[in-house]
Amino acid sequence: MSTLLEMRDIRKGFAGVPVLRGVDFSLQAGEIHALVGHNGAGKSTLMKVLGGNYPDYEGEIRLAGEAIRLAAPREALARGIAIIYQDFSLVPDMTVAENIALGREPRGHFSGTVAHARLRERSRQEAERLGIALPMDVPVRRLGVGAQQLTEIVRACSQDVRILVMDEPTARLAPAERELLFATMRRMARERQVGIVYISHFLDEVCRLADRITIMRDGSVVETGAGSAYTVDSLAQLLVGHEIAAPASSAAPGEAAATDGMALEVRGLGVAGRPPADLAIRRGEIVGLAGLVGSGRTRFARALIGDVAGTGSVMVDGRALGRRTPERATRHGLVLVPEDRKAAGLALTASVEANVVASSLAKLLSTAGFVRPGSRPRLALDMIRRFAIRPPDRRKIVGKLSGGNAQKVLVARAVASRPKVMILDQPTAGVDIGAKAELHNQIRLAAREGAGILVISDDLDELLELSHRVVVMTAGALGGSYRPNELNRASLLAAISRVASDAQTGSENLPGMA
């Protein structure tokens, strides 16, 4: 393989704080090169330098032996460098087809017009070549996060790329969609000699896919080696710089939660014409909700808090929620941590303090409508210490934090409000192994403090590790309940697939279900 890309002694800082400290990185044509590291290690910053987002970098970049200076994203794209960022860059009110063709629209018969029929057909064909089916005429704001991710992938892959950078592309994909993506990546590398930079916190995927792996920590490269030379455990140790302690468990796998009484009782909750569902969660119990992308898990969660309309009743700690709105749900102690922290979760231009205390102002920090002096910073600092948010600065703008620390802020806001029930939708998507372990421990601690917790996750290992009980959803219906000690990753995946299959054939009962 020939050398496609060389980045030498790349340095970049913000406000005098170094983020990249002389990084060397190379990529061969036809290679999948994984770039891994803790949140804040500098991976995304390095790739944004390559993408032309940070023209004020120091160091040298060579593309196929030619020294280049990238001053804007358009320059990078013109040289065949395409990047799929962790935070989507789609235009919400444009259709899937229009987003895929953005910047490459076919001209119509008259000057200044677009050939919309040709655009739609070309976008459909580009998705079809990748084995991906998408609703071309639907605005992307109406898609789930998984479908938005697939739209980003099609848009990037449809261009004439020499280098493709994928930043956490599988964080919100279902297992079948991940396998489709991996096959597409291998085909692009082998047949088109595209060099692929793959950034992921899923270390098992990294070990499976990568020809080479570069590990970064604190803005520097720790080492680079052949993908076959690493295991998940060896990578994890290199990422954090020490052995990872075993997590403190809230209960042995499969045991019932210790606290008596119901935190959440849902009866006949139906959303958008889907069948009604019943669910009960005890105080101190962590229930995992598994299912395929599109199974209705997120809409079910949003209906619980009244963010979308739904039939049926919801009781929190023995009290009927009545007319459901997000504000009433929060006052009753029912909080949702949404899957899309950028669009629906955080105020990115506000401080860590403002975000952390947002759900607690009326409930915990105010007297007669006035916020008590000093209560806001005290609560914010308590949560910063509890969740190990870095940097430990309550005035830091959330949009400037790494993805893992931003996710900690989002979960900390929910915990700070002392919820009776906490719904976590993809709580560790896109965070590194260290931040993931910290978030898991905080979820367990919230359960020990008495909260009932519903965890929605595409990470099957996460569900098995965290949950006292796992339920499976398809087409908006809850089809089964398992104890984690009855399952492993393969059998849970089989159960999800079996529930989906049985739902299509009208079967109501599954063998082996509790």
Side-chain angles (χ1 to χ4, degrees):
M1 292 187 290
S2 61
T3 299
L4 181 59
L5 171 71
E6 292 177 278
M7 303 180 76
R8 301 174 180 171
D9 195 30
I10 303 298
R11 299 176 183 272
K12 177 72 177 83
F14 297 96
V17 179
V19 175
L20 299 176
R21 306 169 186 267
V23 173
D24 293 337
F25 181 81
S26 65
L27 179 67
Q28 310 295 320
E31 175 188 42
I32 299 176
H33 191 153
L35 184 60
V36 299
H38 216 309
N39 285 116
K43 311 180 301 297
S44 295
T45 300
L46 182 67
M47 291 301 101
K48 286 180 178 179
V49 167
L50 178 62
N53 297 81
Y54 297 139
D56 57 341
Y57 67 91
E58 299 176 27
E60 182 183 19
I61 298 177
R62 288 185 170 269
L63 184 62
E66 177 191 357
I68 60 173
R69 186 83 190 178
L70 297 170
R74 185 174 292 275
E75 293 181 15
L77 192 58
R79 291 184 173 273
I81 301 169
I83 302 181
I84 302 173
Y85 290 109
Q86 183 177 350
D87 294 322
F88 300 147
S89 56
L90 301 170
V91 182
D93 291 322
M94 295 178 70
T95 67
V96 170
E98 290 166 342
N99 270 278
I100 291 172
L102 192 61
R104 305 177 299 116
E105 297 88 348
R107 293 181 180 178
H109 293 300
F110 301 102
S111 177
T113 64
V114 173
H116 290 284
R118 189 145 46 97
L119 177 151
R120 184 190 184 281
E121 179 60 19
R122 190 183 70 186
S123 295
R124 185 193 64 77
Q125 291 176 359
E126 288 167 344
E128 192 175 72
R129 274 199 299 271
L130 298 174
I132 295 172
L134 289 166
M136 290 294 157
D137 297 322
V138 174
V140 295
R141 60 180 165 76
R142 290 174 51 192
L143 299 180
V145 175
Q148 290 183 30
Q149 179 71 81
L150 291 174
T151 302
E152 285 271 25
I153 290 167
V154 174
R155 181 169 73 178
C157 294
S158 66
Q159 302 174 66
D160 186 19
V161 297
R162 303 166 70 187
I163 296 173
L164 179 62
V165 180
M166 309 181 96
D167 192 351
E168 298 292 346
T170 64
R172 299 178 177 94
L173 298 185
E177 292 169 329
R178 293 182 186 186
E179 294 303 322
L180 171 63
L181 174 63
F182 298 157
T184 301
M185 290 168 61
R186 293 188 185 102
R187 189 165 59 249
M188 291 181 69
R190 182 178 63 251
E191 297 176 4
R192 295 169 53 185
Q193 288 296 290
V194 174
I196 298 176
V197 183
Y198 183 71
I199 300 175
S200 178
H201 294 306
F202 293 106
L203 301 185
D204 56 336
E205 294 179 1
V206 168
C207 292
R208 282 177 55 198
L209 274 175
D211 299 302
R212 279 194 299 162
I213 301 174
T214 289
I215 300 100
M216 291 186 66
R217 190 167 66 235
D218 298 327
S220 301
V221 171
V222 176
E223 68 179 54
T224 297
S228 58
Y230 298 97
T231 65
V232 171
D233 290 340
S234 66
L235 279 178
Q237 191 165 332
L238 285 167
L239 290 182
V240 299
H242 56 77
E243 292 188 6
I244 300 173
S249 178
S250 55
E255 287 184 6
T259 310
D260 291 329
M262 287 296 174
L264 177 70
E265 294 176 89
V266 181
R267 296 172 182 166
L269 184 66
V271 187
R274 288 180 167 177
D278 298 338
L279 179 66
I281 301 177
R282 304 185 71 81
R283 298 188 190 110
E285 184 182 26
I286 302 174
V287 174
L289 182 54
L292 301 177
V293 171
S295 61
R297 295 167 300 168
T298 293
R299 289 189 68 82
F300 178 80
R302 292 175 62 192
L304 286 174
I305 67 165
D307 192 36
V308 298
T311 59
S313 65
V314 175
M315 295 186 70
V316 178
D317 201 30
R319 296 177 57 198
L321 189 54
R323 185 176 61 86
R324 295 191 294 274
T325 66
E327 293 76 17
R328 283 176 56 83
T330 299
R331 287 202 302 271
H332 279 70
L334 173 61
V335 297
L336 169 65
V337 174
E339 64 172 333
D340 191 340
R341 62 175 174 259
K342 180 181 179 183
L346 295 167
L348 297 176
T349 59
S351 66
V352 170
E353 177 181 307
N355 276 274
V356 165
V357 306
S359 298
S360 304
L361 287 173
K363 182 179 176 183
L364 300 176
L365 304 183
S366 302
T367 302
F370 294 94
V371 177
R372 294 189 294 277
S375 60
R376 284 174 46 124
R378 279 196 299 272
L379 179 59
L381 290 171
D382 284 347
M383 290 296 110
I384 287 170
R385 285 190 291 267
R386 173 168 172 169
F387 281 81
I389 296 167
R390 297 290 180 269
D393 179 2
R394 64 185 176 87
R395 296 185 178 89
K396 183 76 172 179
I397 299 302
V398 166
K400 296 183 178 179
L401 297 178
S402 68
N405 282 294
Q407 187 68 16
K408 289 180 185 179
V409 171
L410 187 59
V411 179
R413 182 175 70 196
V415 171
S417 68
R418 300 177 191 170
K420 294 180 173 65
V421 179
M422 190 160 59
I423 306 166
L424 305 169
D425 195 351
Q426 310 296 345
T428 63
V431 308
D432 65 72
I433 191 169
K436 184 175 183 178
E438 290 167 354
L439 285 168
H440 281 185
N441 283 333
Q442 291 302 327
I443 293 168
R444 293 186 182 96
L445 178 56
R448 289 199 295 272
E449 292 172 344
I453 298 175
L454 181 66
V455 177
I456 302 169
S457 180
D458 293 326
D459 185 343
L460 303 186
D461 294 324
E462 176 168 70
L463 293 179
L464 294 171
E465 181 182 334
L466 272 178
S467 306
H468 299 101
R469 183 162 52 94
V470 178
V471 296
V472 179
M473 173 171 277
T474 184
L478 293 174
S481 177
Y482 299 89
R483 299 293 180 192
N485 59 4
E486 299 172 345
L487 297 168
N488 56 31
R489 193 177 191 277
S491 60
L492 178 55
L493 181 57
I496 294 169
S497 302
R498 191 163 64 245
V499 169
S501 175
D502 288 348
Q504 290 175 348
T505 58
S507 173
E508 296 181 358
N509 298 311
L510 289 176
M513 282 198 170

